[in-house]
Amino acid sequence: MRLLFVVCGEGLGHASRSTKLAKYLEKFGHKCYFASYGKALNFISKQGFTVFDTYREVILEGESGYFSLSKTVWSSKGVLLSLARSLRDIRRIIIEKKIDVLIADTMYAAVFAAKIQDIPSLFITNQNKFASANDEHSKHWEILSSVVEKYLTLPDNIIIPDFSYPNTVSAYNLDIKREDSSRYKFVGPIMDAKLSDYKIEKKIIFASFGGEPFKIPMYGMLKEIANERPFHQFEVFSTSPGLPAESRNFKTHGYTDDILSYMAQSRVNILHGGLTSIHESLFLGKPIVMIIDPYHPEQWNNGRKIEEIGAGIMLPGDKVTKETLSDAIDEALNMKVPDMSYLFVQEDGRVKTMAAIEDAVRKHNSR
């Protein structure tokens, strides 16, 4: 089959999991193409795939460094035009490359293009219910959840790149109706790593919790904590400018191809609460300190689940101080993370997604 992945370019989490899946599919003789935008374009190209530039559908915006739905809506007021342009681009690629199956990773116009061209489509997401720590019951989240729920009736299958219940990390971000449950496929994390590939150690404090403006001072707090803990080695990863100067036990890094090799050496992972990095930490059996954006509609819910299973501690970004961060690190250092290694074997996201693709093709062809 010839497959087209249409991938959200906000960050690299979407591109990372989609390219891992595509590499797996190509082992079975399938041909994979990509369409995306932003930093993801270069990342996908470096993975060896043909990638087409397409339109950004929504412009995510913030206020004082935090996610802002109102500003995002205002900045995305041309969303209908962007969707139309994206739809046009994706239809052209489907026709030119004779695409058999479309997989959209949180890109919405692509599924409409697949419908028009009458080919099977799948949508990758770990969220159909929206809420944030600071306004859980706001009407705007209810409206957004309702719109997305209706949209998700369009793809042949919806891929949830997470463990099945009751181990679903993103459980609080999902509300699946019984009548729709057969189309929601919990495939497990989409990863291509084996534990045997890594030497699991407890040598460093690993930190990669985003580059939003409100988080830059927190890297300064972390540097102060490092100064007070000469017996701990801090390894910090961020592509944002403004990080503190390095010292003997505080090292900074930009983008790295194999970040898991550093996470495997950690005693604690300080993260931002995104699903991909949480899965990576659980895979390696590392406790997590999550510094979340309290206005972000995903991170808080992921953090709630991680706290419930005893794998980490959540800190709202607008309330973090040097003292609370230091205390959270100490608490995490004494945590024993539940062994979830068996789940990564049982629920291989690549294997189960390929089965979901085959199921979508069968259903589409039987109509």
Side-chain angles (χ1 to χ4, degrees):
M1 291 187 294
R2 300 164 72 86
L3 299 98
L4 174 62
F5 287 79
V6 186
V7 179
C8 174
E10 306 297 329
L12 295 178
H14 302 278
S16 176
R17 68 188 179 195
S18 291
T19 51
K20 288 180 174 67
L21 175 59
K23 287 177 182 178
Y24 180 78
L25 293 171
E26 290 203 333
K27 291 180 181 178
F28 295 86
H30 303 299
K31 176 65 176 175
C32 297
Y33 298 91
F34 279 81
S36 190
Y37 61 91
K39 291 182 179 179
L41 273 175
N42 188 47
F43 175 85
I44 294 167
S45 179
K46 284 183 175 179
Q47 306 307 306
F49 293 102
T50 299
V51 56
F52 299 91
D53 196 356
T54 190
Y55 276 87
R56 185 183 190 181
E57 294 180 347
V58 177
I59 301 172
L60 301 181
E61 293 286 5
E63 186 170 11
S64 301
Y66 298 98
F67 174 80
S68 168
L69 181 63
S70 60
K71 284 185 175 292
T72 293
V73 170
W74 175 254
S75 296
S76 303
K77 56 186 179 294
V79 65
L80 292 179
L81 180 59
S82 297
L83 287 168
R85 288 169 170 168
S86 178
L87 175 66
R88 179 197 62 196
D89 287 348
I90 303 309
R91 282 193 68 193
R92 174 179 54 78
I93 298 167
I94 291 172
I95 294 167
E96 288 181 2
K97 297 300 179 183
K98 298 181 173 61
I99 299 299
D100 301 303
V101 178
L102 181 139
I103 302 173
D105 192 330
T106 325
M107 288 286 279
Y108 291 87
V111 173
F112 289 108
K115 287 288 183 185
I116 293 170
Q117 297 306 129
D118 194 27
I119 63 172
S121 64
L122 299 93
F123 193 87
I124 302 177
T125 186
N126 59 288
Q127 188 166 31
N128 71 350
K129 177 185 176 183
F130 298 84
S132 65
N134 282 9
D135 54 354
E136 179 181 2
H137 302 293
S138 293
K139 191 68 178 176
H140 55 251
W141 290 129
E142 292 180 17
I143 294 170
L144 180 59
S145 298
S146 177
V147 170
V148 170
E149 182 183 12
K150 286 181 171 59
Y151 170 84
L152 290 176
T153 62
L154 298 174
D156 293 283
N157 280 332
I158 297 101
I159 303 301
I160 310 294
D162 201 353
F163 301 119
S164 55
Y165 292 122
N167 300 301
T168 313
V169 174
S170 56
Y172 288 117
N173 289 312
L174 295 165
D175 182 16
I176 301 171
K177 303 293 188 295
R178 183 181 296 274
E179 61 269 23
D180 296 326
S181 60
S182 64
R183 292 190 308 109
Y184 282 80
K185 309 293 185 181
F186 288 82
V187 300
I190 299 173
M191 300 177 64
D192 60 0
K194 297 177 182 177
L195 270 179
S196 57
D197 294 337
Y198 299 94
K199 185 178 180 181
I200 308 299
E201 300 179 279
K202 293 185 177 181
K203 295 168 57 177
I204 67 172
I205 306 295
F206 173 96
S208 180
F209 49 85
E212 300 94 328
F214 81 93
K215 288 181 178 173
I216 298 303
M218 294 176 204
Y219 287 107
M221 295 177 196
L222 201 60
K223 172 69 179 293
E224 291 181 31
I225 294 170
N227 291 340
E228 296 172 359
R229 300 177 183 224
F231 46 87
H232 284 154
Q233 179 66 35
F234 289 76
E235 302 287 338
V236 177
F237 294 78
S238 177
T239 56
S240 298
L243 294 181
E246 290 189 342
S247 63
R248 182 192 60 80
N249 70 325
F250 185 89
K251 303 296 183 184
T252 60
H253 308 263
Y255 173 77
T256 179
D257 286 326
D258 188 16
I259 203 162
L260 283 183
S261 63
Y262 289 91
M263 293 175 78
Q265 302 175 48
S266 75
R267 300 180 66 191
V268 172
N269 290 329
I270 306 174
L271 308 172
H272 60 36
L275 186 62
T276 298
S277 57
I278 287 175
H279 279 152
E280 290 168 344
S281 197
L282 293 174
F283 172 72
L284 295 165
K286 306 296 184 177
I288 308 168
V289 172
M290 289 161 289
I291 301 177
I292 66 153
D293 180 341
Y295 300 93
H296 193 282
E298 177 193 1
Q299 295 175 9
W300 172 58
N301 281 327
N302 290 343
R304 291 166 65 193
K305 187 66 175 181
I306 289 302
E307 286 192 327
E308 279 184 14
I309 66 175
I313 301 141
M314 175 170 55
L315 297 175
D318 58 345
K319 295 181 174 64
V320 172
T321 65
K322 185 185 114 180
E323 289 71 27
T324 58
L325 180 55
S326 182
D327 289 345
I329 292 171
D330 283 335
E331 187 178 345
L333 284 168
N334 292 308
M335 276 187 165
K336 183 173 175 55
V337 176
D339 182 3
M340 302 179 75
S341 57
Y342 70 98
L343 286 173
F344 287 92
V345 175
Q346 292 176 359
E347 302 190 39
D348 185 326
R350 300 168 306 164
V351 175
K352 297 184 78 172
T353 300
M354 187 163 76
I357 292 169
E358 293 168 349
D359 176 70
V361 171
R362 282 193 300 270
K363 287 193 294 189
H364 186 85
N365 292 341
S366 66
R367 290 173 187 164

